[in-house]
Each structure stands twice: as C-alpha cells, then as structure tokens.
Amino acid sequence: MSSLGEKKVMKEQITFLVFGFFFLGMSGFLALAGMMADSAPPSITIIMIGMAVMCFCLSYLYPQFKQKDERMKLIREKGMFASFFAMMVYFIVFNLGLQLELIELSASAVVHILSTLMICTVFLSFVVFSKIY
C-alpha cells in the first residue's frame, strides 16, 4: 500500500515539473517573440517565469506539504512571515523609485513585477525554510 502512495506522490511531482517546464517554455517563447519584433518582451513574460518558479518549488515541496504535521505548519508560517517583510521592502523600493523618477514603468509592468516577486519570494522562502527545518 505504501508503494501506491509513493507512486501518487511521484506522479504529482512530475505533474508540477511538467507545468514548470511549460511555463518556462511559454516565457521563453514570449521573450523570443518580443526580441524578434525589435521590442521589449511583454510584461506578462515575467509572470510566466514566476509561475515556473512556483511549479518547480511545489514539485520539490509536494511530498513534504502532503504531510499535515507541525513541521510543515512551521515552514509555512515562517515562509509567509519572511515574505511579508520582503514584500514591504519591494513596495518601498518601487515607491521610492517611482516617486523619485529613478525608474519609469507602466502601472501594469509594476503590478506584473510585484506579482512575480511575491510568487517567487513566498515559494522560495518555503524551500529555504524546508531545508532549515
């Protein structure tokens, strides 16, 4: 019976890996299309990269997140706590950069960048804290 559970976990990990490579391929395609059109890649490309990072992290974390034990609750709690402070830093940097006109971005580009930073920060912090705990 344990073998059946391990096969299901492996199947889920492979599913996350496939989706990760899919999002990575999509972001590469969008970046290549933007370069071939002699323009910057569309800002949605950044979100695709964030989704790929999320899928790769979930592929690594799935066997651990499947267990509903105290260790996983601690990892989620610490990861979200660290991500909150990282997001505050991101907001301050973007706010200062935009107010002082150090960076010039459209509103949609800023939202896409902040969304990607949030996705990557949360899931990479989960991976880091899973290695620590």
Side-chain angles (χ1 to χ4, degrees), residues 35-111:
M35 284 187 250
M36 289 178 69
D38 289 333
S39 67
S43 60
I44 196 74
T45 305
I46 299 169
I47 290 185
M48 292 289 181
I49 293 170
M51 297 295 284
V53 169
M54 179 186 73
C55 287
F56 291 137
C57 289
L58 285 174
S59 173
Y60 173 77
L61 292 169
Y62 182 77
Q64 300 167 30
F65 274 10
K66 191 172 187 241
Q67 303 167 357
K68 303 285 186 196
D69 59 355
E70 291 297 317
R71 177 178 169 265
M72 287 318 303
K73 289 180 185 176
L74 179 68
I75 289 170
R76 287 184 185 122
E77 181 181 314
K78 296 262 186 190
M80 292 303 289
F81 185 74
S83 297
F84 171 77
F85 287 107
M87 285 306 299
M88 289 298 110
V89 171
Y90 299 152
F91 286 136
I92 290 169
V93 167
F94 271 100
N95 195 14
L96 285 174
L98 290 170
Q99 291 294 326
L100 299 174
E101 297 179 3
L102 297 173
I103 49 178
E104 281 188 38
L105 295 171
S106 66
S108 65
V110 171
V111 170

Side-chain angles (χ1 to χ4, degrees), residues 115-128:
S115 300
T116 302
L117 285 172
M118 182 174 61
I119 291 168
C120 291
T121 302
V122 168
F123 287 98
L124 289 175
S125 68
F126 286 166
V127 170
V128 168

